[in-house]
Every structure is written in C-alpha cells, then in structure tokens.
C-alpha cells in the first residue's frame, strides 16, 4: 500500500506492513514479482523464519495486501460516528467510494497484480481472503435491517445477496481498471448508478434505474 519506500527491514522492527511495503516496491520497481521467498528475503536481509512468522508464502502475502486494503476502508468509514444510522444504500455507497479511494492510492500495484492474472477477476486467488471479509461485512453491516429496501424481498437470502454484491464489486473494479477519465470520475458515476439499481431492484422502481444504468454503460462502450 502507499507508504514511504523502505530499503532495508531491521529485524527488531520487522512487521507485516514492512514486509508488504518491501514486496510492493519490488513489484513496481522490477515490474515483476519476486520469484520465491528465499530471493525476496536475501535481497532485504530478512531471515526466512521471520518472513514465515507473518506469512506462510508469497501467495499468502499477496492475499493479505488485498485484505489490508479492505480493512483500511472499513476502519475509515467506521470512524464516522453516524455510519450505523445510514441507509443501506448510503452504507454501500460509502464503502465503495472509500474502498476505491484506497485502491487508487495503490493503482500501479493493483493494475500489475490483476493484469498478471490470466484467469479473470472472478478466479483471482489473491482476492479470496478479501472476498470472504467483504461478503461477511455486506451481510453484517449493510443488509442488517429488515425494514430497509434490502429486507423487502424475502427470497433474497444472505448468501445470494452477498455474492451479488461481490460480483457488483468485481464489475466496478474491472471498469475502474479501464477508466481513463480525470480523477476516475466515470467510475464514481458508475458506482452511484449501480448501487441505485441494486437498491431499486429490491424496492419499487427497478426499470427506471436499469434503463439509466444501461444508457451509461452503452455510452461508455460506444466510446
């Protein structure tokens, strides 16, 4: 994540964030990931045993990077004392906007790590831990009040709803990766329109929101 460059990790001060910072810097400077833990540790004079006290492998480290992005977003939005009083719609909007602000701070690393994957975003292993925490948060913090629009459709079970929200996030993530607008303003527009559509599909005016979202996506596609 976006932090000052660290050139050498001192053993007595070593922690998971330092290792993550070293790894991300290596990826961006070399335009490739370290080949293995031994090479990575040797370069930064880290004992392999110290590395393994935090991460079981480089793959585990990559998963934790994404988890840190999500945890930072949650910590940020929950500092707002009135967050729990927000509507489901505004909670979801706040989560997405905050999360994409954090992703933008680390855009170069994210573009490298996601474009390196050949299986598509849905099957990206590095996002698996992030996905589990995201879905749990959606269920416990967003879809939590039966009186709200999300609770009006009894057939929408928690697993279905949380998986739908995850697919929506992947859709937004792919759009953001390809977005070349100033300040990624088109992604901001899509976030709002897609969240409105999800809420309205569980409320009373789905067709209007779907038409609005469809017009936006068609316009961007034709460009």
């Amino acid at each position: 994540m976006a932090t000052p460059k660290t050139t050498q990790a001192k053993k007595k001060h070593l922690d998971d964030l330092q290792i993550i910072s070293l790894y991300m810097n290596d990826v961006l400077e070399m335009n490739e990931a370290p080949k293995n833990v031994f090479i990575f540790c040797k370069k930064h004079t880290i004992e392999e045993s110290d590395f393994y006290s935090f991460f079981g492998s480089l793959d585990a480290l990559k998963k934790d990077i994404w988890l840190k992005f999500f945890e930072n977003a949650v910590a940020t939005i929950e500092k707002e004392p009135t967050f729990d009083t927000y509507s489901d719609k505004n909670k979801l909007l706040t989560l997405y906007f905050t999360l994409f602000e954090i992703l933008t701070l680390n855009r170069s690393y994210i573009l490298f790590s996601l474009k390196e994957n050949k299986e598509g975003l849905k099957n990206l292993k590095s996002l698996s831990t992030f996905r589990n925490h995201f879905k749990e948060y959606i269920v416990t913090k967003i879809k939590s009040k039966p009186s709200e629009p999300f609770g009006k459709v009894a057939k929408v079970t928690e697993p279905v709803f949380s998986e739908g929200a995850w697919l929506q996030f992947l859709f937004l993530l792919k759009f953001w990766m390809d977005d070349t607008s100033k300040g990624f303003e088109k992604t901001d527009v899509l976030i709002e329109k897609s969240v409105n559509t999800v809420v309205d599909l569980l409320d009373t005016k789905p067709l209007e929101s779907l038409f609005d979202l469809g017009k936006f996506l068609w316009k961007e596609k034709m460009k």
Side-chain angles (χ1 to χ4, degrees):
M1 53 204 63
T3 56
K5 179 181 176 182
T6 306
T7 57
Q8 184 174 4
K10 296 181 179 179
K11 183 175 180 180
K12 64 180 180 179
H13 296 307
L14 190 67
D15 60 27
D16 59 338
L17 292 179
Q18 284 181 306
I19 294 176
I20 285 174
S21 181
L22 289 168
Y23 176 86
M24 292 177 69
N25 284 332
D26 281 358
V27 165
L28 295 176
E29 290 175 358
M30 304 302 294
N31 198 37
E32 64 177 8
K35 300 300 182 183
N36 55 54
V37 173
F38 172 80
I39 293 174
F40 174 75
C41 290
K42 182 177 180 180
K43 177 179 179 180
H44 298 291
T45 63
I46 299 172
E47 294 289 339
E48 285 191 69
S49 60
D50 291 334
F51 176 94
Y52 287 122
S53 69
F54 295 104
F55 307 104
S57 64
L58 289 176
D59 285 341
L61 184 154
K62 289 188 287 186
K63 290 180 182 180
D64 201 61
I65 290 173
W66 279 94
L67 179 58
K68 290 289 193 295
F69 292 152
F70 182 71
E71 289 176 341
N72 287 345
V74 170
T76 298
I77 63 180
E78 293 193 350
K79 287 180 182 178
E80 171 58 51
T82 59
F83 177 74
D84 284 338
T85 68
Y86 289 1
S87 66
D88 287 340
K89 172 184 172 180
N90 286 334
K91 284 181 180 178
L92 196 56
L93 282 172
T94 302
L95 175 62
Y96 283 150
F97 282 132
T98 304
L99 187 53
F100 277 96
E101 285 178 6
I102 291 172
L103 296 183
T104 297
L105 290 175
N106 299 276
R107 183 175 171 86
S108 294
Y109 171 80
I110 290 170
L111 291 180
F112 172 87
S113 64
L114 294 183
K115 289 182 177 180
E116 182 184 38
N117 170 57
K118 305 299 182 183
E119 299 178 343
L121 290 178
K122 186 177 179 181
N123 298 317
L124 193 66
K125 294 179 181 179
S126 295
L127 272 68
S128 60
T129 305
F130 171 93
R131 173 180 178 271
N132 292 337
H133 283 74
F134 177 93
K135 291 177 64 177
E136 181 181 359
Y137 191 82
I138 290 295
V139 169
T140 59
K141 284 289 188 177
I142 308 297
K143 185 180 179 291
S144 57
K145 299 178 180 179
S147 61
E148 302 235 2
F150 289 139
K152 292 182 178 180
V153 181
K155 293 182 181 180
V156 181
T157 64
E158 289 183 353
V160 171
F161 177 80
S162 61
E163 184 63 28
W166 174 247
L167 293 176
Q168 180 188 33
F169 170 76
L170 292 181
F171 169 67
L172 293 170
L173 181 62
K174 180 61 171 66
F175 188 92
W176 172 81
M177 289 174 62
D178 297 331
D179 190 0
T180 58
S181 64
K182 181 180 179 181
F184 308 107
E185 56 189 14
K186 290 181 180 179
T187 297
D188 289 344
V189 172
L190 183 60
I191 289 173
E192 187 162 0
K193 288 183 180 296
S194 65
V195 169
N196 284 339
T197 299
V198 168
V199 172
D200 286 344
L201 280 172
L202 299 177
D203 196 6
T204 57
K205 299 180 180 179
L207 293 180
E208 182 178 347
S209 289
L210 280 174
F211 182 65
D212 192 31
L213 176 61
K215 285 195 301 181
F216 175 78
L217 292 175
W218 176 257
K219 181 179 178 181
E220 293 306 314
K221 185 69 173 178
M222 292 304 294
K223 288 183 179 179

